[in-house]
Structures are given as structure tokens and as C-alpha cells.
Amino acid sequence: EAGVAQSPRYKIIEKRQSVAFWCNPISGHATLYWYQQILGQGPKLLIQFQNNGVVDDSQLPKDRFSAERLKGVDSTLKIQPAKLEDSAVYLCASSLAQDRGTPYEQYFGPGTRLTVT
Amino acid sequence: DQQVKQNSPSLSVQEGRISILNCDYTNSMFDYFLWYKKYPAEGPTFLISISSIKDKNEDGRFTVFLNKSAKHLSLHIVPSQPGDSAVYFCAAENQGGKLIFGQGTELSVKP
């Protein structure tokens, strides 16, 4: 089966500009996640969708970050305006909506490396 | 507040020997613990998991041990191979399926 697709793979922008990332999850996966991974750190969850709805966006900086998942499939993450500290790899992941008793095994895309100058 | 910690940023092991990667956590409410492996320019890939009610799970060369009283888990790789060289992330999952990752440990297996 095809994996999680992300684009672009790399993006360089100046601070105060805006940027958008796109993610196409594995077919049939109801749950979609966006993570931010700063160099030297583990991925940090920004937002979690279950189909069209937001399950958790507690760590999303809502003054500058927004995300949507249209029709419960593809998703976009936007930053506007970008700051220097937003330089990171942005990872998208998806998982099946599983019954309790098994872990939510998440499948990750290759990520988008964002550099803000 | 770092709920999941991997205190060793790097580990170097000789091929054929055992690799032991460690992880500590602070929250007793996690349901599962997972290990992910990451190669450069790729996303993390799932490796192995363990339920919070178990103390050991084995899959081929990979074994994860969970010590609940110490809030500590470890990943053992035996025997280590050069292809195991990667960054390994420990992650804890709560009831909502949210993963909290550690900082990662970079494993280097030398031929």
C-alpha cells in the first residue's frame, strides 16, 4: 500500500512570510496527525484529526498556525506569519481508528523541512 | 515538562553485540509504550510496542522491557547489525492515541 505522502519536502522562507504543507494519509486511515520536530528533539504533536473533526489541538500555536482536513482525507497545515523558531521538520502521520486493546500504530510521512531565515 | 526522556543522545556498539536503549517516563497513566526508528530524511517507522500491563515484548532481534515501578523501559537489539544504525525514539501513548516522544538516541553500529 502507498505510504503517507507529504509535499513539499523542503521549503525556505523569510520570517513573516506564510507557508503551507500538504499531507495525503494512507487510504482508509481515519486519524491524521501533524507533528513538529525541532532539531535534536522528538516529534511534538501539533494537531490530531479524527475524520473531519479536531481531536486535540492543545499544542497548536493558533495565533499563527492553522490546519484543516477537508472531506476527512487530505490535510494542510499553514503558518502565517512564520518566525525563526518555526524552523523544523513537519511530519504528518496517519492511523486506523482502532479498538482499545491495541496501540494506535502511526505511519509517518517523510516530512517537510522548513527553514525560516 | 518532559514526560518522556531519553537521556543518552548517542550510543555506539560493535556489530554482533547487544544494543540497549533506555527511556524514562513520569506519567503512570500511559496505556502503551512504543519504539520508533528513524533514518535520515525519512519519517519515523514503528518498531515494537508494549502494553502498560506487560513487562516484556519480543519480536525477532528486538525486545522491549518495561519496569513500571521505576517508570523505565528499554529496547534491546541482539545481535546488532550495521543496518540498525538510526535514531530511535521512545514514545508513550495515552488513552486518546496521543503519542509523546522522547528526544531520541542515535545508535551507531560499527562493523
Side-chain angles (χ1 to χ4, degrees):
Chain A
E1 68 184 359
V4 176
Q6 289 188 248
S7 67
R9 293 295 310 274
Y10 305 91
K11 190 74 176 178
I12 300 174
I13 62 172
E14 294 182 353
K15 60 184 180 184
R16 292 187 289 272
Q17 287 187 322
S18 61
V19 65
F21 313 126
W22 173 82
C23 173
N24 180 241
I26 292 173
S27 177
H29 280 195
T31 309
L32 186 146
Y33 314 79
W34 282 103
Y35 289 86
Q36 179 192 59
Q37 185 181 7
I38 292 172
L39 187 64
Q41 299 180 20
K44 182 183 83 171
L45 180 70
L46 292 176
I47 188 167
Q48 176 182 346
F49 291 95
Q50 179 80 16
N51 297 310
N52 288 344
V54 175
V55 174
D56 185 343
D57 64 356
S58 57
Q59 298 196 84
L60 186 74
K62 298 180 187 64
D63 58 333
R64 298 184 300 106
F65 286 65
S66 64
E68 60 181 5
R69 188 179 186 196
L70 299 176
K71 301 180 181 178
V73 182
D74 292 7
S75 178
T76 56
L77 176 70
K78 296 179 182 177
I79 309 175
Q80 181 178 11
K83 293 185 176 181
L84 295 176
E85 58 260 35
D86 298 332
S87 294
V89 175
Y90 290 84
L91 294 161
C92 178
S94 68
S95 69
L96 290 166
Q98 296 175 333
D99 294 331
R100 294 312 302 157
T102 59
Y104 285 78
E105 185 178 328
Q106 296 184 22
Y107 296 81
F108 284 81
T112 296
R113 181 175 295 278
L114 173 67
T115 302
V116 182
T117 63
Chain B
D1 177 26
Q2 189 74 24
Q3 296 188 59
V4 179
K5 291 183 180 179
Q6 294 175 257
N7 292 316
S8 298
S10 63
L11 175 67
S12 183
V13 171
Q14 206 68 30
E15 181 179 5
R17 308 293 280 267
I18 184 171
S19 295
I20 300 177
L21 297 100
N22 294 303
C23 179
D24 297 298
Y25 61 96
T26 57
N27 188 338
S28 299
M29 300 303 291
F30 292 125
D31 286 344
Y32 291 95
F33 299 91
L34 301 85
W35 285 92
Y36 278 80
K37 176 180 179 178
K38 186 182 184 304
Y39 292 117
E42 294 183 14
T45 55
F46 171 74
L47 189 58
I48 190 170
S49 66
I50 187 167
S51 166
S52 60
I53 62 173
K54 301 276 182 73
D55 53 20
K56 178 182 175 181
N57 187 27
E58 189 172 355
D59 183 2
R61 298 185 297 115
F62 303 91
T63 303
V64 56
F65 295 93
L66 177 61
N67 182 333
K68 287 179 284 294
S69 60
K71 293 191 176 67
H72 177 85
L73 65 155
S74 60
L75 174 68
H76 292 211
I77 306 174
V78 183
S80 301
Q81 299 173 354
D84 295 330
S85 297
V87 177
Y88 289 79
F89 290 100
C90 167
E93 182 188 294
N94 65 14
Q95 288 189 354
K98 177 178 176 178
L99 286 181
I100 300 170
F101 284 86
Q103 308 95 308
T105 297
E106 183 171 10
L107 174 65
S108 175
V109 181
K110 301 188 182 305

